[in-house]
PDB file of all heavy atoms in Angstrom:
ATOM      1  N   ALA A 377      -0.703  20.761   2.274  1.00 95.00           N
ATOM      2  CA  ALA A 377       0.601  21.336   2.597  1.00 95.00           C
ATOM      3  C   ALA A 377       0.729  22.757   2.071  1.00 95.00           C
ATOM      4  O   ALA A 377       1.297  23.631   2.739  1.00 95.00           O
ATOM      5  CB  ALA A 377       1.713  20.464   2.019  1.00 95.00           C
ATOM      6  N   MET A 378       0.194  23.009   0.882  1.00 96.00           N
ATOM      7  CA  MET A 378       0.282  24.356   0.326  1.00 96.00           C
ATOM      8  C   MET A 378      -0.585  25.339   1.120  1.00 96.00           C
ATOM      9  O   MET A 378      -0.174  26.469   1.400  1.00 96.00           O
ATOM     10  CB  MET A 378      -0.140  24.344  -1.145  1.00 96.00           C
ATOM     11  CG  MET A 378       0.780  23.536  -2.068  1.00 96.00           C
ATOM     12  SD  MET A 378       2.531  24.027  -2.005  1.00 96.00           S
ATOM     13  CE  MET A 378       3.218  22.726  -0.944  1.00 96.00           C
ATOM     14  N   VAL A 379      -1.784  24.921   1.495  1.00 96.00           N
ATOM     15  CA  VAL A 379      -2.651  25.791   2.301  1.00 96.00           C
ATOM     16  C   VAL A 379      -2.017  26.056   3.661  1.00 96.00           C
ATOM     17  O   VAL A 379      -2.002  27.197   4.151  1.00 96.00           O
ATOM     18  CB  VAL A 379      -4.049  25.170   2.456  1.00 96.00           C
ATOM     19  CG1 VAL A 379      -4.878  25.946   3.481  1.00 96.00           C
ATOM     20  CG2 VAL A 379      -4.781  25.148   1.115  1.00 96.00           C
ATOM     21  N   ASP A 380      -1.456  25.021   4.275  1.00 93.00           N
ATOM     22  CA  ASP A 380      -0.807  25.185   5.578  1.00 93.00           C
ATOM     23  C   ASP A 380       0.395  26.128   5.480  1.00 93.00           C
ATOM     24  O   ASP A 380       0.748  26.808   6.454  1.00 93.00           O
ATOM     25  CB  ASP A 380      -0.341  23.833   6.121  1.00 93.00           C
ATOM     26  CG  ASP A 380      -1.502  22.958   6.573  1.00 93.00           C
ATOM     27  OD1 ASP A 380      -2.630  23.477   6.708  1.00 93.00           O
ATOM     28  OD2 ASP A 380      -1.271  21.748   6.774  1.00 93.00           O
ATOM     29  N   ALA A 381       1.027  26.169   4.302  1.00 93.00           N
ATOM     30  CA  ALA A 381       2.192  27.032   4.114  1.00 93.00           C
ATOM     31  C   ALA A 381       1.801  28.481   3.864  1.00 93.00           C
ATOM     32  O   ALA A 381       2.665  29.366   3.826  1.00 93.00           O
ATOM     33  CB  ALA A 381       3.036  26.523   2.949  1.00 93.00           C
ATOM     34  N   GLY A 382       0.506  28.730   3.694  1.00 93.00           N
ATOM     35  CA  GLY A 382       0.054  30.100   3.505  1.00 93.00           C
ATOM     36  C   GLY A 382      -0.494  30.432   2.135  1.00 93.00           C
ATOM     37  O   GLY A 382      -0.899  31.567   1.878  1.00 93.00           O
ATOM     38  N   TRP A 383      -0.495  29.453   1.233  1.00 95.00           N
ATOM     39  CA  TRP A 383      -1.084  29.695  -0.082  1.00 95.00           C
ATOM     40  C   TRP A 383      -2.607  29.752   0.039  1.00 95.00           C
ATOM     41  O   TRP A 383      -3.206  28.920   0.711  1.00 95.00           O
ATOM     42  CB  TRP A 383      -0.719  28.571  -1.058  1.00 95.00           C
ATOM     43  CG  TRP A 383       0.697  28.586  -1.535  1.00 95.00           C
ATOM     44  CD1 TRP A 383       1.732  27.858  -1.043  1.00 95.00           C
ATOM     45  CD2 TRP A 383       1.237  29.363  -2.613  1.00 95.00           C
ATOM     46  NE1 TRP A 383       2.884  28.114  -1.750  1.00 95.00           N
ATOM     47  CE2 TRP A 383       2.613  29.040  -2.720  1.00 95.00           C
ATOM     48  CE3 TRP A 383       0.690  30.292  -3.506  1.00 95.00           C
ATOM     49  CZ2 TRP A 383       3.440  29.618  -3.677  1.00 95.00           C
ATOM     50  CZ3 TRP A 383       1.511  30.860  -4.462  1.00 95.00           C
ATOM     51  CH2 TRP A 383       2.878  30.529  -4.543  1.00 95.00           C
ATOM     52  N   PRO A 384      -3.259  30.711  -0.612  1.00 95.00           N
ATOM     53  CA  PRO A 384      -4.725  30.718  -0.638  1.00 95.00           C
ATOM     54  C   PRO A 384      -5.225  29.449  -1.341  1.00 95.00           C
ATOM     55  O   PRO A 384      -4.576  28.955  -2.272  1.00 95.00           O
ATOM     56  CB  PRO A 384      -5.065  31.968  -1.468  1.00 95.00           C
ATOM     57  CG  PRO A 384      -3.847  32.840  -1.355  1.00 95.00           C
ATOM     58  CD  PRO A 384      -2.684  31.892  -1.285  1.00 95.00           C
ATOM     59  N   PRO A 385      -6.353  28.899  -0.895  1.00 96.00           N
ATOM     60  CA  PRO A 385      -6.845  27.648  -1.482  1.00 96.00           C
ATOM     61  C   PRO A 385      -6.925  27.634  -3.011  1.00 96.00           C
ATOM     62  O   PRO A 385      -6.528  26.628  -3.626  1.00 96.00           O
ATOM     63  CB  PRO A 385      -8.219  27.481  -0.831  1.00 96.00           C
ATOM     64  CG  PRO A 385      -8.051  28.118   0.515  1.00 96.00           C
ATOM     65  CD  PRO A 385      -7.175  29.310   0.271  1.00 96.00           C
ATOM     66  N   PRO A 386      -7.404  28.693  -3.677  1.00 96.00           N
ATOM     67  CA  PRO A 386      -7.443  28.629  -5.144  1.00 96.00           C
ATOM     68  C   PRO A 386      -6.056  28.441  -5.767  1.00 96.00           C
ATOM     69  O   PRO A 386      -5.893  27.691  -6.733  1.00 96.00           O
ATOM     70  CB  PRO A 386      -8.049  29.980  -5.549  1.00 96.00           C
ATOM     71  CG  PRO A 386      -8.857  30.389  -4.369  1.00 96.00           C
ATOM     72  CD  PRO A 386      -8.053  29.928  -3.184  1.00 96.00           C
ATOM     73  N   GLN A 387      -5.053  29.126  -5.205  1.00 96.00           N
ATOM     74  CA  GLN A 387      -3.704  28.983  -5.738  1.00 96.00           C
ATOM     75  C   GLN A 387      -3.100  27.628  -5.364  1.00 96.00           C
ATOM     76  O   GLN A 387      -2.316  27.057  -6.133  1.00 96.00           O
ATOM     77  CB  GLN A 387      -2.827  30.131  -5.249  1.00 96.00           C
ATOM     78  CG  GLN A 387      -3.152  31.449  -5.948  1.00 96.00           C
ATOM     79  CD  GLN A 387      -2.363  32.608  -5.384  1.00 96.00           C
ATOM     80  OE1 GLN A 387      -2.736  33.168  -4.354  1.00 96.00           O
ATOM     81  NE2 GLN A 387      -1.284  32.967  -6.038  1.00 96.00           N
ATOM     82  N   ALA A 388      -3.460  27.118  -4.196  1.00 97.00           N
ATOM     83  CA  ALA A 388      -2.999  25.780  -3.813  1.00 97.00           C
ATOM     84  C   ALA A 388      -3.537  24.740  -4.789  1.00 97.00           C
ATOM     85  O   ALA A 388      -2.829  23.795  -5.177  1.00 97.00           O
ATOM     86  CB  ALA A 388      -3.438  25.452  -2.392  1.00 97.00           C
ATOM     87  N   THR A 389      -4.785  24.920  -5.209  1.00 97.00           N
ATOM     88  CA  THR A 389      -5.364  24.018  -6.212  1.00 97.00           C
ATOM     89  C   THR A 389      -4.605  24.127  -7.521  1.00 97.00           C
ATOM     90  O   THR A 389      -4.292  23.111  -8.168  1.00 97.00           O
ATOM     91  CB  THR A 389      -6.847  24.369  -6.440  1.00 97.00           C
ATOM     92  OG1 THR A 389      -7.574  24.188  -5.225  1.00 97.00           O
ATOM     93  CG2 THR A 389      -7.451  23.483  -7.526  1.00 97.00           C
ATOM     94  N   SER A 390      -4.290  25.355  -7.930  1.00 97.00           N
ATOM     95  CA  SER A 390      -3.559  25.559  -9.177  1.00 97.00           C
ATOM     96  C   SER A 390      -2.171  24.938  -9.125  1.00 97.00           C
ATOM     97  O   SER A 390      -1.684  24.381 -10.112  1.00 97.00           O
ATOM     98  CB  SER A 390      -3.443  27.058  -9.483  1.00 97.00           C
ATOM     99  OG  SER A 390      -4.717  27.633  -9.712  1.00 97.00           O
ATOM    100  N   ILE A 391      -1.520  25.025  -7.962  1.00 97.00           N
ATOM    101  CA  ILE A 391      -0.189  24.433  -7.812  1.00 97.00           C
ATOM    102  C   ILE A 391      -0.262  22.915  -7.962  1.00 97.00           C
ATOM    103  O   ILE A 391       0.566  22.298  -8.639  1.00 97.00           O
ATOM    104  CB  ILE A 391       0.421  24.828  -6.455  1.00 97.00           C
ATOM    105  CG1 ILE A 391       0.766  26.311  -6.449  1.00 97.00           C
ATOM    106  CG2 ILE A 391       1.669  23.988  -6.165  1.00 97.00           C
ATOM    107  CD1 ILE A 391       1.152  26.845  -5.077  1.00 97.00           C
ATOM    108  N   GLY A 392      -1.268  22.311  -7.322  1.00 96.00           N
ATOM    109  CA  GLY A 392      -1.419  20.858  -7.464  1.00 96.00           C
ATOM    110  C   GLY A 392      -1.633  20.456  -8.904  1.00 96.00           C
ATOM    111  O   GLY A 392      -1.037  19.479  -9.391  1.00 96.00           O
ATOM    112  N   ALA A 393      -2.465  21.211  -9.621  1.00 96.00           N
ATOM    113  CA  ALA A 393      -2.715  20.904 -11.030  1.00 96.00           C
ATOM    114  C   ALA A 393      -1.457  21.118 -11.861  1.00 96.00           C
ATOM    115  O   ALA A 393      -1.101  20.284 -12.710  1.00 96.00           O
ATOM    116  CB  ALA A 393      -3.852  21.785 -11.552  1.00 96.00           C
ATOM    117  N   LEU A 394      -0.776  22.234 -11.622  1.00 96.00           N
ATOM    118  CA  LEU A 394       0.445  22.537 -12.359  1.00 96.00           C
ATOM    119  C   LEU A 394       1.493  21.448 -12.189  1.00 96.00           C
ATOM    120  O   LEU A 394       2.111  20.993 -13.175  1.00 96.00           O
ATOM    121  CB  LEU A 394       1.004  23.874 -11.863  1.00 96.00           C
ATOM    122  CG  LEU A 394       2.408  24.257 -12.318  1.00 96.00           C
ATOM    123  CD1 LEU A 394       2.441  24.447 -13.824  1.00 96.00           C
ATOM    124  CD2 LEU A 394       2.869  25.523 -11.601  1.00 96.00           C
ATOM    125  N   MET A 395       1.695  21.009 -10.967  1.00 96.00           N
ATOM    126  CA  MET A 395       2.701  19.986 -10.716  1.00 96.00           C
ATOM    127  C   MET A 395       2.329  18.670 -11.387  1.00 96.00           C
ATOM    128  O   MET A 395       3.192  17.961 -11.913  1.00 96.00           O
ATOM    129  CB  MET A 395       2.874  19.785  -9.210  1.00 96.00           C
ATOM    130  CG  MET A 395       3.396  21.011  -8.471  1.00 96.00           C
ATOM    131  SD  MET A 395       4.991  21.598  -9.074  1.00 96.00           S
ATOM    132  CE  MET A 395       6.049  20.241  -8.590  1.00 96.00           C
ATOM    133  N   ARG A 396       1.033  18.355 -11.378  1.00 95.00           N
ATOM    134  CA  ARG A 396       0.615  17.115 -12.034  1.00 95.00           C
ATOM    135  C   ARG A 396       0.845  17.190 -13.538  1.00 95.00           C
ATOM    136  O   ARG A 396       1.311  16.232 -14.152  1.00 95.00           O
ATOM    137  CB  ARG A 396      -0.858  16.816 -11.737  1.00 95.00           C
ATOM    138  CG  ARG A 396      -1.299  15.457 -12.258  1.00 95.00           C
ATOM    139  CD  ARG A 396      -2.647  15.047 -11.705  1.00 95.00           C
ATOM    140  NE  ARG A 396      -3.728  15.881 -12.202  1.00 95.00           N
ATOM    141  CZ  ARG A 396      -4.346  15.674 -13.379  1.00 95.00           C
ATOM    142  NH1 ARG A 396      -3.950  14.682 -14.160  1.00 95.00           N
ATOM    143  NH2 ARG A 396      -5.338  16.438 -13.753  1.00 95.00           N
ATOM    144  N   TYR A 397       0.523  18.340 -14.139  1.00 95.00           N
ATOM    145  CA  TYR A 397       0.777  18.503 -15.574  1.00 95.00           C
ATOM    146  C   TYR A 397       2.260  18.319 -15.881  1.00 95.00           C
ATOM    147  O   TYR A 397       2.637  17.627 -16.833  1.00 95.00           O
ATOM    148  CB  TYR A 397       0.347  19.893 -16.044  1.00 95.00           C
ATOM    149  CG  TYR A 397      -1.117  20.215 -15.901  1.00 95.00           C
ATOM    150  CD1 TYR A 397      -1.539  21.528 -15.726  1.00 95.00           C
ATOM    151  CD2 TYR A 397      -2.087  19.211 -15.915  1.00 95.00           C
ATOM    152  CE1 TYR A 397      -2.888  21.840 -15.584  1.00 95.00           C
ATOM    153  CE2 TYR A 397      -3.431  19.515 -15.767  1.00 95.00           C
ATOM    154  CZ  TYR A 397      -3.831  20.833 -15.603  1.00 95.00           C
ATOM    155  OH  TYR A 397      -5.156  21.136 -15.458  1.00 95.00           O
ATOM    156  N   PHE A 398       3.096  18.968 -15.073  1.00 96.00           N
ATOM    157  CA  PHE A 398       4.532  18.954 -15.333  1.00 96.00           C
ATOM    158  C   PHE A 398       5.121  17.555 -15.171  1.00 96.00           C
ATOM    159  O   PHE A 398       5.845  17.063 -16.035  1.00 96.00           O
ATOM    160  CB  PHE A 398       5.228  19.937 -14.395  1.00 96.00           C
ATOM    161  CG  PHE A 398       6.724  19.945 -14.523  1.00 96.00           C
ATOM    162  CD1 PHE A 398       7.332  20.443 -15.668  1.00 96.00           C
ATOM    163  CD2 PHE A 398       7.528  19.461 -13.504  1.00 96.00           C
ATOM    164  CE1 PHE A 398       8.718  20.449 -15.798  1.00 96.00           C
ATOM    165  CE2 PHE A 398       8.906  19.463 -13.622  1.00 96.00           C
ATOM    166  CZ  PHE A 398       9.503  19.960 -14.770  1.00 96.00           C
ATOM    167  N   VAL A 399       4.804  16.919 -14.052  1.00 96.00           N
ATOM    168  CA  VAL A 399       5.390  15.607 -13.788  1.00 96.00           C
ATOM    169  C   VAL A 399       4.847  14.555 -14.755  1.00 96.00           C
ATOM    170  O   VAL A 399       5.601  13.744 -15.293  1.00 96.00           O
ATOM    171  CB  VAL A 399       5.144  15.179 -12.328  1.00 96.00           C
ATOM    172  CG1 VAL A 399       5.671  13.778 -12.079  1.00 96.00           C
ATOM    173  CG2 VAL A 399       5.802  16.166 -11.371  1.00 96.00           C
ATOM    174  N   THR A 400       3.544  14.569 -14.976  1.00 95.00           N
ATOM    175  CA  THR A 400       2.949  13.594 -15.891  1.00 95.00           C
ATOM    176  C   THR A 400       3.514  13.763 -17.289  1.00 95.00           C
ATOM    177  O   THR A 400       3.863  12.782 -17.956  1.00 95.00           O
ATOM    178  CB  THR A 400       1.421  13.748 -15.923  1.00 95.00           C
ATOM    179  OG1 THR A 400       0.888  13.558 -14.612  1.00 95.00           O
ATOM    180  CG2 THR A 400       0.798  12.725 -16.861  1.00 95.00           C
ATOM    181  N   GLY A 401       3.625  15.008 -17.744  1.00 93.00           N
ATOM    182  CA  GLY A 401       4.183  15.251 -19.072  1.00 93.00           C
ATOM    183  C   GLY A 401       5.607  14.754 -19.196  1.00 93.00           C
ATOM    184  O   GLY A 401       5.994  14.199 -20.232  1.00 93.00           O
ATOM    185  N   SER A 402       6.392  14.917 -18.132  1.00 93.00           N
ATOM    186  CA  SER A 402       7.788  14.477 -18.183  1.00 93.00           C
ATOM    187  C   SER A 402       7.912  12.966 -18.251  1.00 93.00           C
ATOM    188  O   SER A 402       8.947  12.436 -18.673  1.00 93.00           O
ATOM    189  CB  SER A 402       8.546  14.997 -16.955  1.00 93.00           C
ATOM    190  OG  SER A 402       8.189  14.272 -15.786  1.00 93.00           O
ATOM    191  N   ALA A 403       6.864  12.264 -17.806  1.00 92.00           N
ATOM    192  CA  ALA A 403       6.910  10.801 -17.775  1.00 92.00           C
ATOM    193  C   ALA A 403       6.295  10.155 -19.015  1.00 92.00           C
ATOM    194  O   ALA A 403       6.407   8.948 -19.204  1.00 92.00           O
ATOM    195  CB  ALA A 403       6.191  10.289 -16.529  1.00 92.00           C
TER     196      ALA A 403
END
Side-chain angles (χ1 to χ4, degrees):
M378 295 305 101
V379 170
D380 288 346
W383 287 97
Q387 286 175 278
T389 298
S390 296
I391 290 170
L394 169 64
M395 297 302 293
R396 187 168 68 84
Y397 298 152
F398 177 69
V399 176
T400 301
S402 74

